[in-house]
Amino acid sequence: MKKGGLLLILLILVSIASGCISESNENQTATASTVPPTSVTPSQSSTPTTSTSTYGPSERTELKLPSVNYTPIYVGIEKGCPSGRVPVKFTYNPGNKTVKSVSLRGSFNNWGEWPMELKNGTWETTVCLRPGRYEYKYFINGQWVKDMSDDGTGRPYDPDADAYAPDGYGGKNAVRVVEGREAFYVEFDPRDPAYLSIADKRTVVRFEAKRDTVESAVLVTDHGNYTMKLQVWWDFGETWRAEMPVEPADYYILVTSSDGGKFAVLNTSESPFFHFDGVEGFPQLEWVSNGITYQIFPDRFNNGNKSNDALALDHDELILNQVNPGQPILSNWSDPITPLHCCHQYFGGDIKGITEKLDYLQSLGVTIIYINPIFLSGSAHGYDTYDYYRLDPKFGTEDELREFLDEAHRRGMRVIFDFVPNHCGIGNPAFLDVWEKGNESPYWDWFFVKKWPFKLGDGSAYVGWWGFGSLPKLNTANQEVREYLIGAALHWIEFGFDGIRVDVPNEVLDPGTFFPELRKAVKEKKPDAYLVGEIWTLSPEWVKGDRFDSLMNYALGRDILLNYAKGLLSGESAMKMMGRYYASYGENVVAMGFNLVDSHDTSRVLTDLGGGKLGDTPSNESIQRLKLLSTLLYALPGTPVTFQGDERGLLGDKGHYDEQRYPIQWDTVNEDVLNHYRALAELRKRVPALRSSAMRFYTAKGGVMAFFRGHHDEVLVVANSWKKPALLELPEGEWKVIWPEDFSPELLRGTVEVPAIGIIILERG
């Protein structure tokens, strides 16, 4: 072994000797430890060789350890941190306060949720972190702590915090500085879909390692061996991947480090082999993977029945609000925006209007429709639900809703509805009963009332979403509330909807039990129902198989792809960010990705790309960048999501009364943009690799990034966000450009020129 390899082993031994011990946590990466090489006698083992395997049934043979000396890396031992990570304990003593739940959220988990456990009066958890500086907060009883340095008694929430930093919202985060040195490491947890999943009817096995430390890897199984390929990478890590048949298997992973070291990734010393039972515990929904999604904001999409327009005015929230009263308005379809545009200016869009446009949506290749809330509420947006079991009459009748679903299904389209379990509206009968009767109301424990009597709309008297008095928070820890909400979800699934988009699930009280309960009930009723959570950050803990099938992937669409398409990120920077993203989620989850760039909650994508505000004429460059970005979205695994009107070149700035929600003016369209979206749908339909779960990085340099699509790297996607053309060295073999269609039809070898602010897609010749 080379000198560097001996140093590597010494670093690993030092890591073990340091006693990196922590309590196991199912929401964190699997624990692991490494031990010195052990000799394995030839009679006990064989040296595995890599071979290719088809995906039919295969004969199983006895699995043996390798005949040469390898350093075992055991990842199945409890209470151990992976090499390169340090155990860090977080605690909170509430004293005499009544605390029902505490979660740890910070920069180390993308502000996701890691539940803490109550032990002897103190909430605590220990997590394995790499060396570095981290900011974090506690999430107590479903609410963010304001200032981590003061729990209200002058004491810090976490006595072990190293410092504090502004959180950007007038409060303070706590800071931890983790000391230590990173060595060679391998992370693998077969319980986590990020490491083992079934996607496209293949078993996908992956492991993570420190960047540029692995030379090669082999997945060794009792029915054959499979070469693992470097799939994605980022600043400090990389993921290696292999596929094997969907059948029971015993297996382990052999890794050769870049300095010649030999490692075997094993379960435990007593039971070294991993076992896969061949059962698909977290099924991929192929109708999502193959689909194209269109989001509809119903009041602003199309008015098909003018007779129901005025019905919006009789139950608007402003009429009930005793603190901020007002008068909603009903406008004509092309009337100007008013200060009430976001929430209380109605234009008359309805269910019948959507049904009238189904042929138009079909011409866009749409197979999935996501509709913003349509249940009885007090606003144009519908997120202040009054009655979860009743269609809002301003949108039409249940007969019209059933006709819409039937017509959509007849065209092969699925429909998912918007569901708001975290909060309701002040017109909800249960909340009105509490307002009238106080703690004599049977619904008193459905909410979090601070003082009574109170005025409707007084956000200081009860807990509301982000302090808004118009949106009282629901106590989802109350079993009656759960039954009410989950019953409503099941009601509409039975009615004919095909899935659910859940609003702000990260703010729902006790999400660790509520959402598994919701998922179980929905999947029992409709196994192929699609469940999507509105999470804006990279948060894999929500998609482990017990909560959601996918998240609204703003973390991909806005944080990465949009900034790349703007030219703010180089190809290399964007690819590294994508590497961290794709390494975090199971390939089955990626295949069901709800991939969007904009929505009713953001400015329109063309505005974000420099196209201007509502009423402006977008520049040629902004249109070019929109084409680049939308093509990327259609070329990645998952379902691309278009917000209504983006395909027509619409503009809208969120900062101006949410003008991105302005009604679609159907007599105005950018034909070039519309034809582009239709062509993208045709491209995705005719190229199966673009609908597959598999993607693998190729290269990135300057403004260019390139990645493969398909299980055999059969398609190459090459994007260039800079204002000058770039040359790309092609992979070996012959390649044919299939997008754009007017590109040279000749087979290419060697290099290809990528247009400025452009994208080309090539297929192996």
Side-chain angles (χ1 to χ4, degrees), residues 494-631:
E494 289 176 340
F495 190 88
F497 283 92
D498 303 287
I500 305 172
R501 179 268 192 187
V502 177
D503 186 63
V504 293
N506 57 310
E507 300 189 36
V508 169
L509 189 63
D510 198 11
T513 60
F514 178 81
F515 289 109
E517 189 175 335
L518 173 68
R519 180 183 182 87
K520 183 175 184 293
V522 170
K523 293 289 187 176
E524 285 178 353
K525 187 69 65 177
K526 193 181 186 78
D528 67 343
Y530 184 39
L531 298 178
V532 182
E534 186 207 7
I535 301 291
W536 287 57
T537 58
L538 183 69
S539 304
E541 65 274 9
W542 291 92
V543 280
K544 301 290 190 185
D546 63 338
R547 300 185 189 184
F548 297 108
D549 296 312
S550 178
L551 307 178
M552 295 185 76
N553 290 329
Y554 292 103
L556 174 66
R558 293 191 72 77
D559 296 352
I560 306 173
L561 300 182
L562 175 60
N563 285 319
Y564 170 72
K566 285 181 177 181
L568 301 179
L569 291 175
S570 67
E572 186 177 12
S573 296
M575 182 165 275
K576 286 178 179 179
M577 293 175 69
M578 286 173 63
R580 181 66 274 183
Y581 175 89
Y582 283 109
S584 300
Y585 295 111
E587 193 161 302
N588 58 337
V589 174
V590 165
M592 297 184 284
F594 195 85
N595 299 337
L596 77 169
V597 178
D598 63 335
S599 71
H600 65 291
D601 280 329
T602 72
S603 293
R604 284 194 176 272
V605 60
L606 189 53
T607 294
D608 282 326
L609 291 169
K613 298 184 177 182
L614 185 68
D616 292 343
T617 300
S619 64
N620 289 334
E621 181 180 325
S622 66
I623 295 291
Q624 198 173 350
R625 292 192 182 278
L626 174 64
K627 289 181 177 181
L628 165 64
L629 178 53
S630 54
T631 305

Side-chain angles (χ1 to χ4, degrees), residues 735-740 743-746 748 752 760-763:
W735 294 85
K736 179 184 178 182
V737 175
I738 58 174
W739 179 275
F743 209 91
S744 170
E746 297 179 2
L748 302 176
V752 64
I760 60 174
I761 301 177
L762 306 95
E763 202 168 39

Side-chain angles (χ1 to χ4, degrees), residues 745-760:
E746 297 179 2
L747 290 177
L748 302 176
R749 281 181 174 271
T751 60
V752 64
E753 183 175 274
V754 191
I757 316 177
I759 183 169
I760 60 174

Side-chain angles (χ1 to χ4, degrees), residues 308-323:
N308 57 34
D309 293 2
L311 298 179
L313 302 179
D314 61 2
H315 53 276
D316 185 86
E317 175 260 326
L318 294 180
I319 298 172
L320 294 175
N321 199 306
Q322 298 171 313
V323 177

Side-chain angles (χ1 to χ4, degrees), residues 151-195:
D151 67 356
T153 67
R155 298 178 305 171
Y157 279 89
D158 184 357
D160 297 318
D162 294 311
Y164 301 94
D167 63 3
Y169 299 95
K172 292 180 182 179
N173 295 329
V175 174
R176 282 290 189 94
V177 178
V178 180
E179 304 289 347
R181 294 181 60 189
E182 284 199 31
F184 176 85
Y185 71 87
V186 170
E187 292 187 10
F188 177 69
D189 181 358
R191 301 167 301 175
D192 186 336
Y195 298 97

Side-chain angles (χ1 to χ4, degrees), residues 156-308:
Y157 279 89
D158 184 357
D160 297 318
D162 294 311
Y164 301 94
D167 63 3
Y169 299 95
K172 292 180 182 179
N173 295 329
V175 174
R176 282 290 189 94
V177 178
V178 180
E179 304 289 347
R181 294 181 60 189
E182 284 199 31
F184 176 85
Y185 71 87
V186 170
E187 292 187 10
F188 177 69
D189 181 358
R191 301 167 301 175
D192 186 336
Y195 298 97
L196 189 147
S197 65
I198 296 176
D200 291 358
K201 297 181 173 63
R202 297 161 166 85
T203 302
V204 178
V205 179
R206 307 194 303 173
F207 71 85
E208 178 185 323
K210 188 178 179 182
R211 182 77 178 112
D212 292 329
T213 61
V214 174
E215 178 67 27
S216 63
V218 178
L219 175 63
V220 182
T221 82
D222 57 2
H223 54 68
N225 303 328
Y226 305 89
T227 299
M228 305 191 77
K229 291 184 177 181
L230 174 61
Q231 184 192 22
V232 299
W233 58 81
W234 54 100
D235 283 321
F236 55 83
E238 60 190 30
T239 293
W240 288 68
R241 175 188 184 277
E243 299 175 354
M244 67 178 182
V246 181
E247 59 185 32
D250 292 327
Y251 65 96
Y252 62 92
I253 300 170
L254 287 179
V255 179
T256 300
S257 67
S258 54
D259 63 359
K262 305 291 184 181
F263 300 87
V265 182
L266 304 171
N267 183 25
T268 67
S269 56
E270 295 80 13
S271 180
F273 306 133
F274 302 101
H275 177 72
F276 173 56
D277 59 10
V279 176
E280 191 171 26
F282 185 4
Q284 170 193 352
L285 302 176
E286 293 187 10
W287 65 266
V288 176
S289 305
N290 292 319
I292 293 174
T293 301
Y294 192 87
Q295 180 191 348
I296 291 177
F297 193 88
D299 181 64
R300 316 289 169 80
F301 183 66
N302 187 43
N303 191 343
N305 183 2
K306 293 185 181 298
S307 68
N308 57 34

